[in-house]
Amino acid sequence: QVKLVESGGGSVQAGGSLRLSCSVSRSLHNNYCVGWFLHAPGKVREGIAPIDTDGSTSYADSVLGRFTIYQDSAKTTLYLQMNGVKPEDTAMYYCAAVNSLRGSWRDFKQYDYWGQGTQVTVSS
């Protein structure tokens, strides 16, 4: 069983920065995909950015140019660097993982493993 634990959330003013971390308890299969999602009240869980086995990344339009997803060299920790945050970024942030992605990375139903989430609140 893969266990994911997020940290790094908190309150920040608009325009500021925050870095989220997600520890991965054990190795995933060779064709894995891990990513970050946000879930704002009253809205569907939204994919922000994935990273796959060869390090390829993608970004939702809403965060492109502001957020960066990356892993440490051991691939045991996933990060989300958030720069230039906006009030609309306020949400619970989750990391998620799947051993073999078979559909869109944006679809939360594709992922088998989830962390407990970390809250990010951006004030104007």
PDB file of all heavy atoms in Angstrom, residues 14-35:
ATOM      1  N   ALA A  14      -1.834  37.277  -1.159  1.00  0.00           N
ATOM      2  CA  ALA A  14      -1.787  37.249  -2.613  1.00  0.00           C
ATOM      3  C   ALA A  14      -0.447  37.779  -3.111  1.00  0.00           C
ATOM      4  O   ALA A  14       0.078  38.769  -2.593  1.00  0.00           O
ATOM      5  CB  ALA A  14      -2.939  38.071  -3.192  1.00  0.00           C
ATOM      6  N   GLY A  15       0.100  37.071  -4.096  1.00  0.00           N
ATOM      7  CA  GLY A  15       1.396  37.433  -4.640  1.00  0.00           C
ATOM      8  C   GLY A  15       2.549  36.720  -3.969  1.00  0.00           C
ATOM      9  O   GLY A  15       3.683  36.754  -4.470  1.00  0.00           O
ATOM     10  N   GLY A  16       2.282  36.072  -2.873  1.00  0.00           N
ATOM     11  CA  GLY A  16       3.320  35.372  -2.131  1.00  0.00           C
ATOM     12  C   GLY A  16       3.595  33.987  -2.672  1.00  0.00           C
ATOM     13  O   GLY A  16       3.087  33.589  -3.734  1.00  0.00           O
ATOM     14  N   SER A  17       4.411  33.242  -1.927  1.00  0.00           N
ATOM     15  CA  SER A  17       4.819  31.902  -2.349  1.00  0.00           C
ATOM     16  C   SER A  17       4.619  30.898  -1.233  1.00  0.00           C
ATOM     17  O   SER A  17       4.625  31.250  -0.050  1.00  0.00           O
ATOM     18  CB  SER A  17       6.291  31.894  -2.767  1.00  0.00           C
ATOM     19  OG  SER A  17       6.509  32.732  -3.883  1.00  0.00           O
ATOM     20  N   LEU A  18       4.485  29.648  -1.647  1.00  0.00           N
ATOM     21  CA  LEU A  18       4.310  28.547  -0.709  1.00  0.00           C
ATOM     22  C   LEU A  18       4.838  27.305  -1.396  1.00  0.00           C
ATOM     23  O   LEU A  18       4.736  27.178  -2.630  1.00  0.00           O
ATOM     24  CB  LEU A  18       2.814  28.386  -0.389  1.00  0.00           C
ATOM     25  CG  LEU A  18       2.371  27.839   0.961  1.00  0.00           C
ATOM     26  CD1 LEU A  18       2.914  28.694   2.095  1.00  0.00           C
ATOM     27  CD2 LEU A  18       0.853  27.788   1.024  1.00  0.00           C
ATOM     28  N   ARG A  19       5.416  26.389  -0.628  1.00  0.00           N
ATOM     29  CA  ARG A  19       5.832  25.115  -1.210  1.00  0.00           C
ATOM     30  C   ARG A  19       5.165  23.971  -0.459  1.00  0.00           C
ATOM     31  O   ARG A  19       5.321  23.838   0.758  1.00  0.00           O
ATOM     32  CB  ARG A  19       7.345  24.931  -1.168  1.00  0.00           C
ATOM     33  CG  ARG A  19       7.795  23.714  -1.965  1.00  0.00           C
ATOM     34  CD  ARG A  19       9.297  23.517  -1.969  1.00  0.00           C
ATOM     35  NE  ARG A  19       9.789  23.001  -0.694  1.00  0.00           N
ATOM     36  CZ  ARG A  19      10.992  22.476  -0.528  1.00  0.00           C
ATOM     37  NH1 ARG A  19      11.828  22.408  -1.546  1.00  0.00           N
ATOM     38  NH2 ARG A  19      11.379  22.040   0.669  1.00  0.00           N
ATOM     39  N   LEU A  20       4.457  23.166  -1.194  1.00  0.00           N
ATOM     40  CA  LEU A  20       3.829  21.975  -0.642  1.00  0.00           C
ATOM     41  C   LEU A  20       4.733  20.772  -0.862  1.00  0.00           C
ATOM     42  O   LEU A  20       5.417  20.686  -1.885  1.00  0.00           O
ATOM     43  CB  LEU A  20       2.472  21.722  -1.296  1.00  0.00           C
ATOM     44  CG  LEU A  20       1.467  22.885  -1.281  1.00  0.00           C
ATOM     45  CD1 LEU A  20       0.151  22.431  -1.902  1.00  0.00           C
ATOM     46  CD2 LEU A  20       1.278  23.423   0.103  1.00  0.00           C
ATOM     47  N   SER A  21       4.708  19.849   0.085  1.00  0.00           N
ATOM     48  CA  SER A  21       5.479  18.618  -0.013  1.00  0.00           C
ATOM     49  C   SER A  21       4.564  17.424   0.156  1.00  0.00           C
ATOM     50  O   SER A  21       3.550  17.515   0.849  1.00  0.00           O
ATOM     51  CB  SER A  21       6.563  18.567   1.061  1.00  0.00           C
ATOM     52  OG  SER A  21       7.440  19.663   0.968  1.00  0.00           O
ATOM     53  N   CYS A  22       4.935  16.335  -0.458  1.00  0.00           N
ATOM     54  CA  CYS A  22       4.185  15.093  -0.320  1.00  0.00           C
ATOM     55  C   CYS A  22       5.182  13.949  -0.241  1.00  0.00           C
ATOM     56  O   CYS A  22       5.901  13.680  -1.213  1.00  0.00           O
ATOM     57  CB  CYS A  22       3.243  14.909  -1.499  1.00  0.00           C
ATOM     58  SG  CYS A  22       2.394  13.308  -1.523  1.00  0.00           S
ATOM     59  N   SER A  23       5.226  13.278   0.897  1.00  0.00           N
ATOM     60  CA  SER A  23       6.119  12.135   1.027  1.00  0.00           C
ATOM     61  C   SER A  23       5.410  10.886   0.527  1.00  0.00           C
ATOM     62  O   SER A  23       4.221  10.680   0.791  1.00  0.00           O
ATOM     63  CB  SER A  23       6.552  11.954   2.477  1.00  0.00           C
ATOM     64  OG  SER A  23       5.443  11.625   3.292  1.00  0.00           O
ATOM     65  N   VAL A  24       6.142  10.054  -0.189  1.00  0.00           N
ATOM     66  CA  VAL A  24       5.613   8.812  -0.756  1.00  0.00           C
ATOM     67  C   VAL A  24       6.252   7.656  -0.007  1.00  0.00           C
ATOM     68  O   VAL A  24       7.473   7.525   0.031  1.00  0.00           O
ATOM     69  CB  VAL A  24       5.929   8.718  -2.255  1.00  0.00           C
ATOM     70  CG1 VAL A  24       5.323   7.452  -2.851  1.00  0.00           C
ATOM     71  CG2 VAL A  24       5.417   9.953  -2.973  1.00  0.00           C
ATOM     72  N   SER A  25       5.421   6.777   0.582  1.00  0.00           N
ATOM     73  CA  SER A  25       5.929   5.794   1.532  1.00  0.00           C
ATOM     74  C   SER A  25       6.737   4.693   0.885  1.00  0.00           C
ATOM     75  O   SER A  25       7.606   4.114   1.501  1.00  0.00           O
ATOM     76  CB  SER A  25       4.775   5.167   2.315  1.00  0.00           C
ATOM     77  OG  SER A  25       3.934   4.427   1.433  1.00  0.00           O
ATOM     78  N   ARG A  26       6.451   4.349  -0.330  1.00  0.00           N
ATOM     79  CA  ARG A  26       7.235   3.308  -0.983  1.00  0.00           C
ATOM     80  C   ARG A  26       7.211   3.516  -2.481  1.00  0.00           C
ATOM     81  O   ARG A  26       6.418   4.283  -2.994  1.00  0.00           O
ATOM     82  CB  ARG A  26       6.702   1.924  -0.622  1.00  0.00           C
ATOM     83  CG  ARG A  26       5.338   1.579  -1.206  1.00  0.00           C
ATOM     84  CD  ARG A  26       5.041   0.095  -0.984  1.00  0.00           C
ATOM     85  NE  ARG A  26       3.773  -0.312  -1.530  1.00  0.00           N
ATOM     86  CZ  ARG A  26       3.583  -0.659  -2.779  1.00  0.00           C
ATOM     87  NH1 ARG A  26       4.581  -0.594  -3.634  1.00  0.00           N
ATOM     88  NH2 ARG A  26       2.408  -1.050  -3.196  1.00  0.00           N
ATOM     89  N   SER A  27       8.061   2.798  -3.172  1.00  0.00           N
ATOM     90  CA  SER A  27       8.194   2.991  -4.609  1.00  0.00           C
ATOM     91  C   SER A  27       6.935   2.560  -5.352  1.00  0.00           C
ATOM     92  O   SER A  27       6.310   1.564  -5.008  1.00  0.00           O
ATOM     93  CB  SER A  27       9.383   2.190  -5.134  1.00  0.00           C
ATOM     94  OG  SER A  27      10.578   2.658  -4.554  1.00  0.00           O
ATOM     95  N   LEU A  28       6.617   3.336  -6.339  1.00  0.00           N
ATOM     96  CA  LEU A  28       5.534   2.966  -7.236  1.00  0.00           C
ATOM     97  C   LEU A  28       6.107   2.142  -8.394  1.00  0.00           C
ATOM     98  O   LEU A  28       7.320   2.017  -8.527  1.00  0.00           O
ATOM     99  CB  LEU A  28       4.865   4.233  -7.768  1.00  0.00           C
ATOM    100  CG  LEU A  28       4.174   5.076  -6.698  1.00  0.00           C
ATOM    101  CD1 LEU A  28       3.961   6.499  -7.193  1.00  0.00           C
ATOM    102  CD2 LEU A  28       2.838   4.446  -6.341  1.00  0.00           C
ATOM    103  N   HIS A  29       5.234   1.594  -9.198  1.00  0.00           N
ATOM    104  CA  HIS A  29       5.678   0.817 -10.340  1.00  0.00           C
ATOM    105  C   HIS A  29       6.394   1.716 -11.349  1.00  0.00           C
ATOM    106  O   HIS A  29       6.292   2.940 -11.278  1.00  0.00           O
ATOM    107  CB  HIS A  29       4.490   0.113 -10.983  1.00  0.00           C
ATOM    108  CG  HIS A  29       3.894  -0.931 -10.101  1.00  0.00           C
ATOM    109  ND1 HIS A  29       2.734  -1.602 -10.445  1.00  0.00           N
ATOM    110  CD2 HIS A  29       4.259  -1.405  -8.893  1.00  0.00           C
ATOM    111  CE1 HIS A  29       2.428  -2.452  -9.475  1.00  0.00           C
ATOM    112  NE2 HIS A  29       3.330  -2.341  -8.529  1.00  0.00           N
ATOM    113  N   ASN A  30       7.053   1.121 -12.303  1.00  0.00           N
ATOM    114  CA  ASN A  30       7.883   1.886 -13.236  1.00  0.00           C
ATOM    115  C   ASN A  30       7.111   2.842 -14.119  1.00  0.00           C
ATOM    116  O   ASN A  30       7.689   3.773 -14.673  1.00  0.00           O
ATOM    117  CB  ASN A  30       8.690   0.928 -14.112  1.00  0.00           C
ATOM    118  CG  ASN A  30       9.784   0.241 -13.326  1.00  0.00           C
ATOM    119  OD1 ASN A  30      10.229   0.751 -12.310  1.00  0.00           O
ATOM    120  ND2 ASN A  30      10.216  -0.916 -13.800  1.00  0.00           N
ATOM    121  N   ASN A  31       5.827   2.659 -14.271  1.00  0.00           N
ATOM    122  CA  ASN A  31       5.033   3.502 -15.161  1.00  0.00           C
ATOM    123  C   ASN A  31       4.094   4.412 -14.384  1.00  0.00           C
ATOM    124  O   ASN A  31       2.992   4.699 -14.804  1.00  0.00           O
ATOM    125  CB  ASN A  31       4.213   2.615 -16.113  1.00  0.00           C
ATOM    126  CG  ASN A  31       3.675   3.406 -17.287  1.00  0.00           C
ATOM    127  OD1 ASN A  31       4.303   4.351 -17.750  1.00  0.00           O
ATOM    128  ND2 ASN A  31       2.501   3.028 -17.777  1.00  0.00           N
ATOM    129  N   TYR A  32       4.552   4.908 -13.227  1.00  0.00           N
ATOM    130  CA  TYR A  32       3.681   5.641 -12.342  1.00  0.00           C
ATOM    131  C   TYR A  32       3.403   7.055 -12.829  1.00  0.00           C
ATOM    132  O   TYR A  32       4.077   7.598 -13.701  1.00  0.00           O
ATOM    133  CB  TYR A  32       4.275   5.700 -10.935  1.00  0.00           C
ATOM    134  CG  TYR A  32       5.476   6.603 -10.827  1.00  0.00           C
ATOM    135  CD1 TYR A  32       5.342   7.982 -10.665  1.00  0.00           C
ATOM    136  CD2 TYR A  32       6.758   6.077 -10.901  1.00  0.00           C
ATOM    137  CE1 TYR A  32       6.433   8.813 -10.585  1.00  0.00           C
ATOM    138  CE2 TYR A  32       7.872   6.903 -10.829  1.00  0.00           C
ATOM    139  CZ  TYR A  32       7.702   8.264 -10.659  1.00  0.00           C
ATOM    140  OH  TYR A  32       8.775   9.078 -10.584  1.00  0.00           O
ATOM    141  N   CYS A  33       2.406   7.644 -12.187  1.00  0.00           N
ATOM    142  CA  CYS A  33       2.119   9.059 -12.342  1.00  0.00           C
ATOM    143  C   CYS A  33       1.728   9.589 -10.952  1.00  0.00           C
ATOM    144  O   CYS A  33       0.929   8.964 -10.257  1.00  0.00           O
ATOM    145  CB  CYS A  33       0.980   9.290 -13.332  1.00  0.00           C
ATOM    146  SG  CYS A  33       0.528  11.028 -13.539  1.00  0.00           S
ATOM    147  N   VAL A  34       2.309  10.678 -10.563  1.00  0.00           N
ATOM    148  CA  VAL A  34       1.928  11.353  -9.323  1.00  0.00           C
ATOM    149  C   VAL A  34       1.569  12.791  -9.657  1.00  0.00           C
ATOM    150  O   VAL A  34       2.077  13.349 -10.631  1.00  0.00           O
ATOM    151  CB  VAL A  34       3.048  11.323  -8.267  1.00  0.00           C
ATOM    152  CG1 VAL A  34       3.289   9.912  -7.776  1.00  0.00           C
ATOM    153  CG2 VAL A  34       4.336  11.906  -8.820  1.00  0.00           C
ATOM    154  N   GLY A  35       0.697  13.365  -8.873  1.00  0.00           N
ATOM    155  CA  GLY A  35       0.277  14.709  -9.201  1.00  0.00           C
ATOM    156  C   GLY A  35      -0.383  15.427  -8.042  1.00  0.00           C
ATOM    157  O   GLY A  35      -0.593  14.852  -6.968  1.00  0.00           O
TER     158      GLY A  35
END
